[in-house]
Amino acid sequence: MAATYLLLCLSLLAEALVQGQQCNFFEGSWVIDDAYPLYTNCSFISDEFNCQKYGRPDKKYLKYRWKPTACELPRFNALNFLEKFRGKSIMFVGDSISRNQYESLICMLHSAVPNTNYSRSTRDGNISIFELTEYEIKVMRDQNAYLVDLVQEKVGNVLKLNSIQGGKLWLGIDVLVFNSWHWWNRKTWDYIEFRGNYVKDMDRIIALNIALRTWADWVNTNINPKNTTVFFQGLSPTHYDGKKWNETKADRCLGQTEPVLGTTYPGGIPPELAVQKTSIVAVTDLVKFFDTTNLSLFRKDGHPSKFNVKGAAGNGVDCIHWCVPGVPDTWNEILYNLIVA
């Protein structure tokens, strides 16, 4: 009898594990769905992301829906979000990719209740706040590309790999979504400080690893998981090299009108993603890894390319950011299913 009961328990456990694996929202492929996009007109989109305003002629990129391999991703329901998230706050912390997602969520919510009252404000210099006053919901953004502190000292701008004084701005928020990657490829500092030592520069992957461990320590020290849910978003891919999607003659992301089809990206997963994952997992178990890198890799068609304010002025091709409406709506659709659905 005991053996039978044990076998039953093991069977139920195995079934639960399989079901958990089946509902991995981050593995799948893109499919055409004429019910998309989730919204069309939105006045809150920055000129950097507003591809329709700047004359993008094709519309097919708006019609793709992310379909997980082994389950359905429930469609975003803005009214359900507003009711279940009533009185709460969500903050996106990071670089302009965070702004991409922030503006997407604002559009997704406001389009469902276009006549509701809202307010827009800023505080502490870098915090943008969009509040749906009837629901007492705050959607917020903190422009903080490195997560650790970048401060002005006598020697110049110093990137402090062991310091997060800016973290006080993240306290008391119900849902935090962090990202940090693209600005580590640039040098906006004069010195990097690590354990009291100043250097002009260092291997950027090593620096990222140290900074993420500092950030994970901050989470351990300051976050109560009963009150705050923390996500870290995997790096947002770029599409400047057509060889990575087997299109050697591609001119960056120019003229791309459909995603890479299938469930495997030819160029593979960026190795920096593993650095992000291992750096965080090694320090904390309070962070949920928001693994949108893979699904975004397929969307070579999702960038503004020349259809934004910079492209219109002849200032380059943008294969970093994402059109809104577009791919960031899917990030938020998954986020919705993880926090309120």
Side-chain angles (χ1 to χ4, degrees):
M1 186 69 176
T4 302
Y5 178 74
L6 178 60
L7 287 172
L8 177 61
C9 289
L10 290 173
S11 176
L12 290 172
L13 176 60
E15 182 180 349
L17 290 172
V18 169
Q19 289 175 346
Q21 291 172 351
Q22 286 177 339
C23 282
N24 180 350
F25 290 144
F26 302 108
E27 293 182 359
S29 59
W30 292 93
V31 298
I32 287 286
D33 188 332
D34 287 332
Y36 282 72
L38 296 168
Y39 57 91
T40 51
N41 298 316
C42 181
S43 60
F44 308 115
I45 307 171
S46 297
D47 285 348
E48 196 172 1
F49 314 139
N50 201 335
C51 303
Q52 294 299 306
K53 176 181 177 179
Y54 284 92
R56 181 164 177 169
D58 61 305
K59 301 292 189 289
K60 189 176 179 181
Y61 76 97
L62 295 168
K63 296 294 183 181
Y64 283 97
R65 170 174 61 85
W66 178 249
K67 187 181 186 314
T69 301
C71 63
E72 286 297 325
L73 177 66
R75 182 180 170 91
F76 182 82
N77 185 325
L79 295 178
N80 185 52
F81 184 106
L82 291 168
E83 286 301 333
K84 290 189 175 181
F85 208 67
R86 184 184 289 271
K88 295 183 179 181
S89 57
I90 180 171
M91 179 185 284
F92 298 95
V93 184
D95 55 26
S96 52
I97 299 300
S98 289
R99 180 157 55 91
N100 243 173
Q101 189 171 5
Y102 164 78
E103 293 183 5
S104 162
L105 184 58
I106 289 173
C107 290
M108 291 167 76
L109 294 174
H110 185 264
S111 64
V113 286
N115 297 318
T116 195
N117 293 326
Y118 69 88
S119 66
R120 303 183 76 178
S121 60
T122 59
R123 67 173 174 82
D124 300 308
N126 290 329
I127 306 295
S128 301
I129 305 170
F130 182 94
E131 182 173 7
L132 292 152
T133 50
E134 178 182 344
Y135 299 90
E136 298 181 302
I137 290 174
K138 291 182 179 180
V139 183
M140 311 169 74
R141 181 180 71 91
D142 179 15
Q143 177 67 28
N144 188 323
Y146 302 109
L147 304 185
V148 293
D149 295 328
L150 180 65
V151 301
Q152 180 68 38
E153 296 186 354
K154 290 183 179 180
V155 295
N157 286 326
V158 179
L159 184 65
K160 294 177 169 288
L161 297 183
N162 299 123
S163 175
I164 303 187
Q165 295 299 315
K168 62 181 181 292
L169 302 175
W170 312 332
L171 298 174
I173 307 298
D174 295 288
V175 177
L176 291 164
V177 184
F178 293 89
N179 95 78
S180 184
W181 166 240
H182 285 295
W183 280 78
W184 292 94
N185 293 312
R186 311 178 188 184
K187 189 175 186 293
T188 61
W189 56 80
D190 298 297
Y191 289 91
I192 293 176
E193 181 193 357
F194 175 51
R195 293 178 178 173
N197 297 311
Y198 285 73
V199 295
K200 285 281 190 180
D201 207 353
M202 64 188 298
D203 184 287
R204 305 297 173 79
I205 296 297
I206 294 174
L208 173 65
N209 177 281
I210 296 168
L212 289 180
R213 286 170 179 259
T214 299
W215 170 80
D217 276 331
W218 181 92
V219 171
N220 279 338
T221 303
N222 293 278
I223 294 298
N224 182 344
K226 294 180 180 179
N227 301 325
T228 301
T229 302
V230 181
F231 294 92
F232 187 92
Q233 183 173 14
L235 66 89
S236 178
T238 64
H239 291 92
Y240 285 102
D241 184 0
K243 293 193 294 295
K244 293 184 177 180
W245 63 86
N246 293 334
E247 194 175 339
T248 56
K249 295 183 179 180
D251 185 3
R252 297 156 292 182
C253 61
L254 277 171
Q256 298 295 326
T257 59
E258 60 182 28
V260 175
L261 301 179
T263 58
T264 303
Y265 185 68
I269 301 295
E272 296 84 2
L273 183 66
V275 175
Q276 291 182 326
K277 289 182 178 180
T278 56
S279 299
I280 295 168
V281 170
V283 179
T284 182
D285 58 1
L286 301 182
V287 176
K288 301 177 188 297
F289 201 84
F290 193 54
D291 202 356
T292 55
T293 302
N294 181 57
L295 67 88
S296 304
L297 275 169
F298 297 103
R299 293 306 303 270
K300 58 186 173 64
D301 61 322
H303 302 285
S305 66
K306 63 180 180 180
F307 299 107
N308 63 7
V309 63
K310 292 182 179 180
N315 294 327
V317 174
D318 186 351
C319 303
I320 297 175
H321 301 102
W322 304 92
C323 295
V324 177
V327 173
D329 301 334
T330 295
W331 302 345
N332 283 323
E333 201 160 27
I334 294 174
L335 189 63
Y336 158 77
N337 278 279
L338 294 176
I339 63 176
V340 300

